[in-house]
Amino acid sequence: MTTSLSVLLGNYPHTGPLKDGTIPVDGVDCRFPEFSPLPPAFARMVRDLAFDICEMPLATYLQAREAGVPITLLPVVLVGSTHHRALTRLPDAPEIGPGDLAGRRVGVRAYGQTTGLWVRGWLREEYGVESCDVTWVTTEDVHVAQYVNPPYVERSVTGRVVDLLRSHDVSAAVLGPKAVGGQGAGLVPLVRDAESAGLAWTERHGTIPANHLLVVRDDVLRDSPDAVLTVYRALKRAIADTAGEHDDSPGGRAVAAGWSASLAACLEIGGRYALEQELVRGPVDLGAIEKAAAFFDR
């Protein structure tokens, strides 16, 4: 008997083999809806449980889990990287460093954006700038409807983060990996040697920041566990088979399937950052997440 599952995945070298059938998902009829850009799909998942299996940003997952959204994490990192070059300014703007941001306004797509989570984490660790020291100006709402932004977050009607910079409404802006090379083309990182700073972060913490993970609806996992496990194993094979298509940058090395010390460290640090930044209100139960993830690597 074939089980039909809707599986929302972005388009990457490691998801292509599932989408084009190169790697079959035996006994499962996978439907792969396409969304471009992806963020609206994440909101649909946590608000309406619109898909059976869904790619999901780390910060969204942590907030959704706290809000009681019935989803379970699969031990898969689909997208990740270091984010020291994500904090940017206009090239002709006054030269400021990350430590100068206290008391200033910084643009970010949403306060719950995962890139912002990682940026605020290293801002605190390396420069002593607390999240509440900055006014975060957003262009979108967070994905999890139950979440209420802290008082130091302000909603703008401006369409894009880069427009906040160009209108001089903010001194700096946080841009995700795709946006850095898109709307952020020509912007200048506040960290002078961002690549070295990012590598130092990974060496210090023993992990690479994950941006996008994978979740499954609890009812789907309960009713069709073998089908979900088959999808996971096919994706794990695809990640292994396409390893040569990724470069040796942190972004390339972040992609992985299976529970590991690196993933545990990433979730622990991300959860701690989220608590410090008031993205979640209580500590993240890493033990419970690991216990649930153990099903997939049995």
Side-chain angles (χ1 to χ4, degrees):
M1 180 177 177
T2 300
T3 300
S4 180
L5 295 178
S6 59
V7 184
L8 191 286
L9 296 170
N11 293 312
Y12 315 112
H14 42 288
T15 58
L18 269 69
K19 290 188 171 187
D20 65 18
T22 302
I23 292 180
V25 187
D26 296 332
V28 183
D29 176 20
C30 289
R31 293 171 285 109
F32 296 103
E34 292 291 334
F35 276 78
S36 184
L38 279 174
F42 305 146
R44 286 192 59 194
M45 181 62 179
V46 297
R47 297 183 182 203
D48 305 320
L49 296 175
F51 313 101
D52 297 320
I53 297 174
C54 187
E55 180 172 340
M56 183 167 289
L58 170 62
T60 300
Y61 164 69
L62 295 174
Q63 291 186 309
R65 189 176 186 278
E66 183 172 74
V69 178
I71 54 176
T72 295
L73 182 73
L74 284 75
V76 177
V77 178
L78 291 164
V79 179
S81 190
T82 56
H83 298 291
H84 283 69
R85 69 185 302 265
L87 188 60
T88 62
R89 63 172 176 84
L90 293 172
D92 57 351
E95 186 172 341
I96 58 174
D100 300 320
L101 291 180
R104 296 178 184 263
R105 296 162 63 83
V106 176
V108 64
R109 183 171 55 79
Y111 189 66
Q113 183 185 18
T114 298
T115 298
L117 164 75
W118 293 118
V119 168
R120 288 188 296 269
W122 63 252
L123 267 176
R124 183 180 189 271
E125 282 186 1
E126 299 170 24
Y127 295 92
V129 177
E130 302 283 351
S131 299
C132 60
D133 293 338
V134 175
T135 297
W136 301 93
V137 184
T138 68
T139 60
E140 296 180 17
D141 295 326
V142 295
H143 297 138
V144 179
Q146 297 93 323
Y147 179 75
V148 177
N149 285 322
Y152 44 87
V153 177
E154 178 182 307
R155 184 71 158 82
S156 171
V157 296
T158 300
R160 301 186 305 166
V161 175
V162 71
D163 295 327
L164 294 171
L165 277 174
R166 290 174 178 161
S167 66
H168 303 288
D169 189 25
V170 297
S171 300
V174 174
L175 295 175
K178 284 190 175 181
V180 165
Q183 62 173 288
L187 298 181
V188 178
L190 268 64
V191 179
R192 293 197 176 189
D193 192 348
E195 183 175 353
S196 294
L199 291 173
W201 189 98
T202 66
E203 291 173 3
R204 186 166 69 248
H205 291 290
T207 189
I208 299 169
N211 272 50
H212 292 185
L213 305 167
L214 192 66
V215 301
V216 59
R217 284 171 34 188
D218 286 351
D219 63 320
V220 173
L221 182 59
R222 180 188 65 245
D223 297 340
S224 305
D226 291 340
V228 175
L229 186 59
T230 300
V231 173
Y232 166 74
R233 287 173 174 168
L235 183 56
K236 187 174 183 178
R237 176 185 165 191
I239 288 173
D241 287 357
T242 58
E245 299 181 38
H246 299 281
D247 58 35
D248 195 42
S249 69
R253 290 184 284 111
V255 177
W259 189 263
S260 64
S262 177
L263 179 56
C266 179
L267 291 169
E268 186 278 323
I269 296 163
R272 175 163 47 84
Y273 284 177
L275 183 59
E276 292 169 352
Q277 299 167 24
E278 299 186 88
L279 283 168
V280 296
R281 310 304 179 186
V284 174
D285 188 345
L286 182 61
I289 295 173
E290 180 178 3
K291 182 178 179 181
F295 167 81
F296 301 100
D297 283 329
R298 59 183 181 174

